[in-house]
């Protein structure tokens, strides 16, 4: 009977290898000529493996058996041929399983806000150092870091726990812009001023809402920073939901001379402007004020403003009971998904403090970024809440 000898290779005791169990789709991506694989995680973060398109949590699976590892291609066919010897170079008693995960981009927002852009003049006054740190004269709400704190794309790709494609989608979703090689967002107050000026001058000049001329818009707002105007226009346009290449091109008037305003983006900006003055309004008052602010643009878009467009930005809540036992007023309250805690447990705790009962449609936009591939909003919600059915048959969710 033929036998095969097991040989111990040189450096056997010093060789350290990690085994990964990959499904066929991940293996195919890893083996592509343009494939990309990286492992990311800071000191206090769970490590994730990122391909060009997806993110996976790495979970260590221990085994009671010790595996001998060989660089040779071994299969039932090759072993059946009874090679004279097989060389082993290391052992392993565990392997990593990859579990598809939502991109972990919560820390990105803070990095983009560290040194927000408020125009070239204001930018010139920012320090070059990464952080101000300990400045007793710092003004509340002012940037806490200098221009050097703005991360480059390479730095973001190296540190943010998501794939390259997911990173670009997150930058687009956050409304980030590149300034001298560093990435940041616009200063919130400055962005509001620029956005409202863009909307107002578009109405005044009677430009077509589906073809706002970028260069003419910049010329019509000479007191505002051109980079900020072009960027803010694209966040209000249909380019905000376009592929990354189209989003980048939308900031270049030579490549994209006109941009189509997006009705939802414009309506949401008007709502944010109202919430700046008052965080909560009665539904009746808010709808009236909102419609007045939007004015004739609703006719131009051909779509009336409806509360559904404010998902993830505002919610309806019940007000206090009336003085004479009247039905409580319905209020519209600002609640931005971007301002919620980054992880599930504290996020749900916050949501149920704001509102005691939620429908799944109301909760969905506030948990969308927490959903791992293949998981529904309801599955996640039921881990942190319980379902109740009212006398009217309506299903809602309350805290456990």
């Amino acid at each position: 009977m033929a036998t095969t000898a097991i040989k111990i290779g040189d450096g056997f005791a010093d060789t350290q290898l990690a085994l990964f169990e990959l499904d066929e789709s991940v293996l195919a991506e890893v083996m592509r000529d343009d494939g990309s694989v990286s492992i990311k995680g800071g000191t206090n973060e769970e490590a994730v493996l990122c391909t060009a398109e997806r993110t996976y949590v790495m979970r260590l699976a221990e085994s009671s058996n010790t595996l001998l590892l060989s660089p040779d291609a071994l299969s039932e066919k090759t072993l059946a041929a009874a090679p004279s010897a097989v060389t082993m170079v290391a052992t392993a008693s565990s392997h990593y399983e990859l579990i598809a995960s939502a991109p972990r981009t919560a820390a990105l927002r803070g990095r983009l806000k560290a040194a927000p852009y408020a125009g070239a003049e204001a930018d010139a006054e920012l320090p070059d150092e990464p952080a101000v740190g300990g400045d007793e004269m710092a003004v509340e709400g002012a940037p806490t870091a200098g221009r050097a704190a703005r991360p480059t794309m390479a730095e973001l790709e190296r540190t943010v726990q998501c794939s390259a494609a997911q990173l670009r989608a997150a930058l687009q979703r956050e409304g980030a812009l590149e300034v001298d090689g560093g990435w940041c967002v616009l200063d919130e107050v400055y962005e509001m001023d620029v956005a409202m000026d863009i909307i107002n001058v578009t109405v005044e000049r009677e430009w077509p809402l589906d073809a706002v001329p970028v260069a003419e818009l910049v010329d019509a707002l000479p007191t505002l920073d051109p980079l900020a105007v072009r960027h803010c226009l694209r966040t209000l346009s249909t380019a905000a939901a376009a592929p990354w290449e189209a989003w980048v091109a939308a900031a270049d008037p030579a490549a994209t001379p006109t941009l189509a305003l997006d009705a939802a983006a414009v309506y949401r900006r008007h709502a944010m402007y109202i919430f700046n003055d008052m965080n909560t309004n009665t539904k009746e008052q808010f709808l009236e004020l909102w419609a007045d602010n939007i004015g004739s643009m609703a006719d131009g878009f051909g779509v009336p403003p409806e509360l559904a467009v404010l998902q993830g930005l505002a919610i309806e809540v019940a007000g206090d009971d009336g003085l004479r036992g009247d039905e409580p007023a319905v209020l519209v309250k600002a609640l931005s998904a971007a301002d919620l805690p980054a992880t599930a447990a504290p996020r749900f705790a916050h949501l149920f403090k704001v509102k005691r009962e939620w429908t799944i449609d109301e909760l969905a936009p506030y948990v969308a970024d927490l959903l791992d591939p293949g998981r529904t909003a309801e599955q996640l919600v039921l881990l942190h809440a319980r379902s109740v059915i009212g006398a009217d048959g309506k299903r809602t969710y309350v805290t456990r």
Side-chain angles (χ1 to χ4, degrees), residues 311 358-365 397:
Q311 285 191 343
W358 295 73
T359 66
I360 193 64
D361 290 339
E362 290 172 333
L363 280 171
Y397 297 85

Side-chain angles (χ1 to χ4, degrees), residues 24-277:
E24 292 297 328
S25 62
V26 180
L27 181 60
E29 185 174 357
V30 170
M31 298 303 291
R32 280 191 348 226
D33 289 341
D34 60 344
S36 170
V37 177
S38 59
I39 296 175
K40 305 178 184 180
T43 303
N44 299 315
E45 295 175 323
E46 183 179 29
V48 297
L49 182 144
C50 301
T51 64
E53 302 290 337
R54 300 178 180 85
T55 301
Y56 299 87
V57 173
M58 297 167 51
R59 295 283 162 78
L60 188 65
E62 301 282 355
S63 173
S64 59
N65 299 319
T66 297
L67 302 176
L68 293 172
L69 307 181
S70 171
D72 301 325
L74 302 179
S75 65
E76 291 184 7
K77 183 177 181 179
T78 57
L79 291 175
S84 59
V86 175
T87 301
M88 300 297 170
V89 297
T91 63
S93 59
S94 63
H95 70 276
Y96 287 100
E97 297 175 340
L98 300 185
I99 303 171
S101 169
R104 302 186 173 190
T105 57
L108 176 63
R109 185 173 298 118
R111 298 188 67 180
L112 294 174
K113 287 185 174 182
Y117 185 72
E121 291 185 11
D123 221 46
E125 298 179 3
L126 289 178
D128 292 326
E129 295 77 12
V132 175
D135 185 356
E136 295 180 359
M137 299 300 292
V139 177
E140 183 178 355
T144 58
R147 292 187 300 273
R150 293 172 182 160
T152 64
M153 181 64 80
E155 290 170 339
L156 292 174
E157 289 180 333
R158 186 174 64 252
T159 58
V160 179
Q161 290 189 297
C162 64
S163 70
Q166 291 167 333
L167 172 61
R168 283 157 177 75
L171 289 171
Q172 199 167 338
R173 189 168 56 250
E174 294 291 339
L177 74 159
E178 187 178 17
V179 181
D180 297 329
W183 286 84
C184 62
V185 292
L186 288 180
D187 173 83
E188 290 184 4
V189 175
Y190 187 66
E191 181 179 20
M192 180 62 75
D193 291 342
V194 175
M196 296 310 296
D197 282 352
I198 288 174
I199 292 170
N200 291 335
V201 78
T202 297
V203 173
E204 291 171 3
R205 300 292 177 95
E206 298 183 343
W207 287 326
L209 301 184
D210 61 351
V212 176
V214 180
E216 287 184 50
L217 174 66
V218 172
D219 291 341
L221 298 170
T223 62
L224 298 178
D225 180 78
L227 174 61
V229 172
R230 292 194 299 269
H231 171 71
C232 207
L233 175 60
R234 69 174 172 172
T235 66
L236 291 170
S237 76
T238 55
W244 175 258
E245 293 76 13
W247 163 257
V248 173
D252 180 3
T256 312
T258 64
L259 284 171
L261 290 180
D262 178 68
V266 172
Y267 293 171
R268 287 170 69 89
R269 178 57 64 178
H270 274 292
M272 293 167 66
Y273 183 76
I274 294 171
F275 290 138
N276 272 353
D277 290 333

Side-chain angles (χ1 to χ4, degrees), residues 357-379:
E357 289 186 73
W358 295 73
T359 66
I360 193 64
D361 290 339
E362 290 172 333
L363 280 171
Y366 291 104
V367 301
D369 61 315
L370 299 176
L371 296 181
D372 293 329
R375 172 173 281 186
T376 65
E378 186 172 18
Q379 289 172 327

